[in-house]
Amino acid sequence: MQSLIQIAAVCISTVIAVMMLVQLARRRSGMTAVGRTQNEVHSINTQMLDLAMDGAIVADIRQVDMPVTYVNRAFQEISGYTAAEVIGKNLRYLQGNDRQQPEIGKVREAIKNRASVSVTMRNYRKDGRMFWTELRLAPVFDSLGTATHYIGVMRDVTDLKEAASKLEHAADQDPLSLVMNRSSFRDRLDALLQAYEEAHILVATVDIARFHEINVSHGYELGDALLVQLAERLRLLPDTLVGRLGANEFGVAVRLANSGATETFIAELSAVLAPKFVLPGTTIDVGYSIGFTVGETGDEALVLLRQAGVALHESRASRLREVRRFESKTDLEIRKRVRLKSELFQAVANKEFILHYQPKVELATGMIVGAEALVRWRHPVYGLQLPGQFISVAEDTGLIIDIGAWVLRTAAAFAVEVNRDRGLALTFSVNVSQLQFTQRDMVQLVRTVLDETGAEASWLMLELTESLLVDHSPEMIASFRELRGMGVGLSIDDFGTGYSSLQYLENFPLSEIKIDRSFTKDLHQSDFFRLIVDAVVKFGKELKVDVTAEGIETESERELLNEMGCPYGQGYLFGRPIERDEFVRLVTHHSVLPVGGNRRPGGADRLPMGAVGTAVANRIHLVPATALTV
């Protein structure tokens, strides 16, 4: 409110000053009667003008050089010139040598046309210091309509201009590192891309490795000091735009002198970043991820920044954080992945998933003892999709939690349907993700599913990945033990491919080990693989843990595994994953599959796929490489 009153006071004083200047100009032109009363009024007006905060000027435009005939005290204080030094002269000397300002042309044009004008321009004090002036000029006309004088009101707006400049600079600058912020960097990069008729522009993004750990271990103040020093180093690169794009991410852009300059600049960039950072109280080595792209004149800054970001992502993902250049193939994969995420959210909402079941058999007899429930995505455009096409994205987005719960519930309900009239119940295995254990109460979920579906706990087997078993936390082990206490089976899937350790067999309450198919398919050719499989089978017998071999495709593989004492197996030899109705028909009419002595005489080593398996295989369509291009 106070500022509004001050502004109003200045405006009122300016209006009064202008009115007084008009009277003063007219009196000096002889337009008022001469007398004692008029002299007194003139004296009062002059004193009031001297009290004004703005500078007041009167110039006689009837004379050749339009000399000044009056200035008030504020003008003298603003400019540093006394009235004696100003009166009788033209005020153009206030601009010094700064005569190319476009505002001067506007003033000249207004005076020529005897019109009013308002400009903001640079002037110079008597001591040579520059100051910004807001100048308003207006002509004064006599009774015949002839312009005789110009009156002017001059205000020193230097502080306002400097404040506005600081605000504008702050809007373009990162306040911590004092380099350009993301928006300003993008604008400057756009200008650079348009500045040359033909040029190659390198854009790189730099990311501090494990910056969060630095903040946590050394404190956020030290982290800020690191960012400041990093920005200072990047500014050492000649003719290079530098901006802070994120919390610990910086961008640089430079025009390349020739095609061979790319490697040279990246080497210079790496050299600038290499030395240790000497920070308050400590010295630290810092690692970086660097991704870059090279654009040409006419390219868009936003596109190049995105490409450099894609390359940076690849650098972060590499084992040694190697410098990576943008490649369109990588970009395509990322764009496919982004689109896949969006489509997966819709798939969960629209219930586009189904389960296929692959039989698990007793190797000695061919009797079906269970099945593995395998999720499929019935994509509305690309048809049936295998888990390898979408499970990793589902885990990244957390959707695996919802998908996994649906799989468990659906498999349990199917187990109830299949086992309703069976003397010997089948066990149904479902794959579970680490997120399902760490991000929700898995024990409670299983208990709820069993209550809702009426399934027996022994009818379910949860297949765990080896990465899940790496978690030796008491909470995780307690969950496993509680599930086993309920009667739910726990299986370690793909044993031998990850962090394989026989300690799993002792430390965790497992009920089954599944030997990975990579051991099965090379069993005949590799003595080493036979030794591994034989050891796992023997450990299973000693610990009373079932062993199932995956990926069995030929009768000779089944026979060898059976001779080694492996009790169970699954694979294309016994059947591909099939839909629920087809699985029901299979276990109803073929509870024992033909193996060994049960096979027809003269049969091939590989069992025929059959009409059911062929139909299923024909309905599975993998997404082509270009299918998700956007």
Side-chain angles (χ1 to χ4, degrees), residues 233 266-275:
R233 290 189 183 186
I266 293 299
E268 292 175 354
L269 174 60
S270 300
V272 164
L273 299 175

Side-chain angles (χ1 to χ4, degrees), residues 342-630:
S342 175
E343 292 181 344
L344 267 181
F345 277 100
Q346 293 297 321
V348 171
N350 298 336
K351 300 180 179 179
E352 296 174 1
F353 299 100
I354 62 171
L355 290 183
H356 282 184
Y357 300 89
Q358 184 175 36
K360 170 184 169 182
V361 305
E362 189 177 58
L363 292 181
T365 64
M367 181 176 66
I368 299 175
V369 295
E372 181 177 357
L374 299 165
V375 66
R376 303 288 189 260
W377 177 14
R378 199 186 298 275
H379 194 285
V381 177
Y382 303 114
L384 212 58
Q385 300 300 305
L386 297 177
Q389 297 290 314
F390 61 88
I391 286 297
S392 63
V393 177
E395 290 180 336
D396 290 345
T397 58
L399 286 172
I400 192 65
I401 296 175
D402 294 329
I403 296 173
W406 176 86
V407 169
L408 181 64
R409 186 172 284 104
T410 304
F414 185 60
V416 172
E417 178 183 343
V418 171
N419 291 329
R420 183 177 293 116
D421 300 320
R422 293 184 63 86
L424 184 62
L426 301 183
T427 300
F428 290 83
S429 302
V430 297
N431 294 278
V432 293
S433 165
Q434 184 173 7
L435 283 177
Q436 291 176 261
F437 272 92
T438 58
Q439 300 299 318
R440 76 180 311 162
D441 188 342
M442 193 64 184
V443 175
Q444 183 57 46
L445 173 64
V446 172
R447 186 177 288 114
T448 300
V449 167
L450 294 176
D451 291 341
E452 290 177 353
T453 62
E456 297 288 338
S458 59
W459 297 350
L460 293 181
M461 178 86 70
L462 303 184
E463 295 196 5
L464 315 173
T465 60
E466 290 188 46
S467 60
L468 180 57
L469 299 181
V470 171
D471 186 350
H472 290 79
S473 67
E475 294 80 10
M476 187 69 72
I477 295 177
S479 295
F480 290 155
R481 295 191 184 282
E482 192 169 355
L483 287 168
R484 288 294 294 126
M486 293 165 54
V488 176
L490 295 179
S491 171
I492 177 171
D493 195 17
D494 299 332
F495 186 81
T497 60
Y499 307 93
S500 299
S501 172
L502 295 178
Q503 286 185 334
Y504 296 155
L505 308 182
E506 179 182 5
N507 296 338
F508 294 91
L510 299 174
S511 52
E512 181 188 49
I513 303 170
K514 299 189 80 171
I515 301 174
D516 185 69
R517 69 188 66 214
S518 61
F519 294 95
T520 303
K521 69 178 182 178
D522 293 325
L523 205 56
H524 286 91
Q525 290 79 25
S526 174
D527 293 337
F528 177 73
F529 282 177
R530 283 199 299 273
L531 181 63
I532 293 296
V533 171
D534 185 62
V536 173
V537 170
K538 288 179 179 178
F539 268 105
K541 288 181 180 179
E542 291 294 325
L543 297 175
K544 295 181 175 55
V545 175
D546 291 334
V547 178
T548 300
E550 296 182 291
I552 302 175
E553 297 188 0
T554 65
E555 171 60 24
S556 59
E557 290 171 353
R558 182 208 67 81
E559 186 175 350
L560 180 56
L561 286 163
N562 185 46
E563 291 174 356
M564 296 173 69
C566 181
Y568 303 109
Q570 67 183 78
Y572 285 178
L573 176 66
F574 313 111
R576 291 176 179 267
I578 54 179
E579 293 185 12
R580 49 169 285 123
D581 293 342
E582 293 163 342
F583 184 82
V584 170
R585 286 195 293 270
L586 175 66
V587 298
T588 301
H589 302 294
H590 304 283
S591 59
V592 177
L593 298 178
V595 296
N598 296 335
R599 295 177 59 214
R600 294 194 303 271
D605 185 48
R606 184 191 297 269
L607 294 179
M609 183 186 296
V612 171
T614 303
V616 171
N618 289 339
R619 284 198 296 272
I620 296 179
H621 308 286
L622 298 183
V623 179
T626 58
L628 296 180
T629 302
V630 294

Side-chain angles (χ1 to χ4, degrees), residues 43-82:
S43 176
I44 292 172
N45 288 345
T46 300
Q47 292 179 48
M48 290 187 66
L49 284 171
D50 283 340
L51 294 176
M53 298 173 62
D54 294 337
I57 314 155
V58 177
D60 189 346
I61 61 174
R62 295 170 300 180
Q63 300 185 45
V64 177
D65 204 27
M66 292 182 289
V68 172
T69 60
Y70 171 81
V71 293
N72 70 345
R73 184 175 299 166
F75 176 90
Q76 297 173 64
E77 293 173 352
I78 293 171
S79 68
Y81 291 97
T82 65

Side-chain angles (χ1 to χ4, degrees), residues 15-36:
V15 171
I16 294 173
V18 170
M19 293 174 63
M20 293 179 181
L21 285 172
V22 171
Q23 295 181 30
L24 183 64
R26 284 176 175 169
R27 189 184 188 286
R28 289 177 180 270
S29 63
M31 294 173 60
T32 57
V34 178
R36 182 176 178 181

